[in-house]
Amino acid sequence: MSRGFDSHFGPPSQPISVAEFLQEANSALLSGSLTNASWEQLTPEYDNAAEAEISGSISELKSSLEQVWDNPVLSAHVLRQHESTVAAVRGQADAPAPKGRKRKRYVAPEGSESAPEVLQLQEKLDAVNLKCWGLTVESALCMRAAKNSDYNALDAPKKTGTGVLRTINHGDVGATRNSTPDSLRSPSPNATSYLNAVISLTVYNRITYLPSCLTRSSQHAVLSTQTLDDLLRVIPCASSNMPIEHLDAEGDISGYNLPDQTGEHSGSLFCIEGLVYGDRSENTDYAEKLIAHFQKLPEGKRPKITKASTSASETAFSALTLRIHQPYWILHQGNCEHFFVIDQIRHGLFHFNSITTLNVICRLAHPSDPPSGYPLMLHLTPTLQDLCRACGKVPAVHSIVGDMRLGESPCLLCAPCWRTMGPPKNDEDVMVVPLVIHP
Ligand SMILES: [Zn+2]
Ligand SMILES: [Zn+2]
C-alpha cells in the first residue's frame, strides 16, 4: 500500500507555460501591482497588530513546544499518548503489525500520570479546538515506518552547476512601485530574460525488484534559463559512473578504467507533454530512434508522441509548458530510465500562491536561497551500498572475480581487505572490477 502511495502522482495542474508565467510575474513586478489594494486600506493599528501576530506566533508556538519537550516527565507523557493512539488506530483498522522489531511498550512509571504538571498539560491539550489533526481509522492507511528515501544525505542544498539567480536591487523595485516611469509600465521585450524562475522537481527511479513502483531518488532546483541537459548532468545515477571496459585484441575484457566525469550522456531523451527531446547526435538521434521503435507497435498501442523541434541541450525550461505533479520520462546512457515530477514553479524573486492571482504574494524569496550554483540539489536519498564481505564493516569498492581463495566469485571487498589478502595465486585468472562510485 505504501509503495503504491509513493508511486502515485497528481492530479496534475493545468499546463503552465514557463515563459508566460515569467512574463506575467515580471510585468506585475515592474508595474508595481504586486501589492493587493486591500492592504492599502488597512489602518496602521491593524497593520501593526497583524504584523505582531505574524512575527510573534511562531516563537510562541516554538517556546510552548520546547517547554514540553525539554521536560522529561511531560515529553514522556506526550510520547506515550501518541504511541497508544497509534496502537489503537492500528487495532481498529486491523492493520498488520509493522515488520521488524516489536514496538516497545511505553509503560508509565508509578504515579507519573497523576503528576499535577501532566494533568495540567493534558487539560490544555484537550482544550485545543483544532480536531482535524487527530488520528482516525483511515489514518492507518497512511501510517508507515520511515524509509530510506525519507532521509536526506545532504544537510544543506548542494551547488551542482554554475547557474546564477538573476535578481534586481530592492531600490529598483521601490522605484518602480512609487513612481513607475512609463518605459517600465509595460514590460520591455526582454523583460522575460530580466529575472528567472526557479523550478523544483523530484527525480524518481524504478525499484529494481518492483519495477512498476517508483522511489524518490533526489530533488533539484533548476533555473528557467537552464536546459534539460543541465538537469540531466546533475541527476545522480549509477549508469553515469560505470567503469569503462578495456578490451584486448581478441575483444575480451582485460581491465577497467574509472569513468571520466565529463557529464556526457550518450543516448538520451526527455519525454515531456507528448514531445520527445533527443540528443541530436550526428547519426543517431535518440528521439528518432524512439519514434521509429514505436512505429513497430500496433497502431492502437502507439503512444501519441512527436519529436520536438529542439534537442535537450537546446531546450531551456523557459521554452517548456509543464504540468505540476505530472511525471515525465527520461532515458539516458542507452537504457537507464528516470522519471521527474515538477513540484513547484516560482519566480526567482517572489513566491506567488497562484499564477492567475499575481497580486497576492505568499512570501519573498528567502534570503537563504543560494544566489548561485544552480541546479541545486535539495535532497539525495542515501545510497545503500554493499558491505565488504570480509570485514562486513565498510562499503565494498572492488568486485573480485575468479580468486580461488575467496570461496565465492564475484566477491565484494573493501580496499584495505583486498590489500591485506596479498597477490592471488592464480593471478592471471583474477579480475578486479571497480564498483560504481556513488555521489
Ligand atoms: Zn540513469
Ligand atoms: Zn573489508
Side-chain angles (χ1 to χ4, degrees), residues 205 232 235-240 265 330-333 335-338:
N205 296 342
L232 190 58
I235 292 177
C237 172
S239 309
S240 306
H265 287 247
I330 304 175
L331 190 69
H332 74 135
Q333 304 290 21
N335 64 349
C336 180
E337 278 183 295
H338 302 273

Side-chain angles (χ1 to χ4, degrees), residues 251-299:
D252 294 326
I253 299 164
S254 61
Y256 288 88
N257 260 9
L258 288 180
D260 45 345
Q261 301 287 334
T262 51
E264 285 313 313
H265 287 247
S266 57
S268 64
L269 59 84
F270 281 76
C271 194
I272 298 168
E273 296 294 330
L275 289 173
V276 195
Y277 300 85
D279 50 4
R280 196 168 282 178
S281 5
E282 280 105 62
N283 39 33
T284 56
D285 186 338
Y286 239 57
E288 262 160 39
K289 282 192 164 187
L290 181 76
I291 288 174
H293 174 71
F294 284 156
Q295 288 303 319
K296 292 179 195 151
L297 294 173
E299 205 164 338

Side-chain angles (χ1 to χ4, degrees), residues 388 390-392 394 413-414 417:
C388 168
C391 62
V394 287
L413 290 183
C414 71
C417 286

Side-chain angles (χ1 to χ4, degrees), residues 13-300:
S13 73
Q14 293 293 313
I16 299 167
S17 152
V18 178
E20 275 171 32
F21 163 77
L22 257 182
Q23 196 139 22
E24 270 185 58
N26 283 339
S27 62
L29 179 71
L30 292 169
S31 64
S33 63
L34 281 170
T35 44
N36 193 309
S38 50
W39 281 105
E40 311 287 325
Q41 292 158 11
L42 296 177
T43 60
E45 295 84 61
Y46 192 93
D47 223 20
N48 291 340
E51 197 168 322
E53 195 182 322
I54 292 164
S55 48
S57 60
I58 296 295
S59 58
E60 193 195 314
L61 277 174
K62 190 166 174 271
S63 69
S64 65
L65 277 176
E66 282 171 349
Q67 267 170 27
V68 173
W69 214 235
D70 292 346
N71 181 329
V73 176
L74 296 183
S75 61
H77 169 74
V78 172
L79 211 60
R80 270 195 302 272
Q81 285 278 311
H82 175 74
E83 289 294 328
S84 69
T85 317
V86 169
V89 166
R90 278 190 186 282
Q92 276 174 22
D94 221 5
K99 272 186 264 174
R101 133 179 95 92
K102 258 191 126 185
R103 256 171 200 280
K104 247 195 289 177
R105 284 284 304 272
Y106 291 85
V107 183
E110 196 72 29
S112 69
E113 291 292 290
S114 55
E117 50 182 343
V118 170
L119 293 175
Q120 204 184 349
L121 172 70
Q122 193 53 48
E123 211 168 283
K124 212 167 134 191
L125 289 177
D126 292 340
V128 173
N129 283 325
L130 191 64
K131 299 291 178 208
C132 59
W133 284 356
L135 297 176
T136 63
V137 182
E138 288 76 30
S139 324
L141 291 172
C142 306
M143 276 156 50
R144 62 162 173 81
K147 284 197 291 200
N148 191 43
S149 57
D150 297 328
Y151 298 104
N152 193 351
L154 308 172
D155 54 7
K158 185 179 163 192
K159 296 178 176 186
T160 54
T162 53
V164 178
L165 187 63
R166 257 176 285 172
T167 55
I168 50 174
N169 294 329
H170 279 288
D172 296 349
V173 180
T176 55
R177 257 194 210 146
N178 299 337
S179 53
T180 313
D182 281 346
S183 60
L184 281 176
R185 243 175 225 291
S186 54
S188 52
N190 64 355
T192 45
S193 62
Y194 191 44
L195 291 162
N196 32 30
V198 180
I199 298 162
S200 24
L201 53 93
T202 305
V203 177
Y204 293 82
N205 296 342
R206 287 190 197 278
I207 299 173
T208 334
Y209 53 87
L210 214 62
S212 57
C213 287
L214 301 178
T215 181
R216 176 165 79 146
S217 155
S218 59
Q219 195 184 20
H220 308 265
V222 292
L223 299 175
S224 53
T225 44
Q226 297 189 298
T227 65
L228 293 172
D229 257 10
D230 290 330
L231 169 65
L232 190 58
R233 245 175 251 131
V234 300
I235 292 177
C237 172
S239 309
S240 306
N241 295 315
M242 285 288 181
I244 299 155
E245 290 173 353
H246 255 297
L247 302 181
D248 61 14
E250 273 118 54
D252 294 326
I253 299 164
S254 61
Y256 288 88
N257 260 9
L258 288 180
D260 45 345
Q261 301 287 334
T262 51
E264 285 313 313
H265 287 247
S266 57
S268 64
L269 59 84
F270 281 76
C271 194
I272 298 168
E273 296 294 330
L275 289 173
V276 195
Y277 300 85
D279 50 4
R280 196 168 282 178
S281 5
E282 280 105 62
N283 39 33
T284 56
D285 186 338
Y286 239 57
E288 262 160 39
K289 282 192 164 187
L290 181 76
I291 288 174
H293 174 71
F294 284 156
Q295 288 303 319
K296 292 179 195 151
L297 294 173
E299 205 164 338

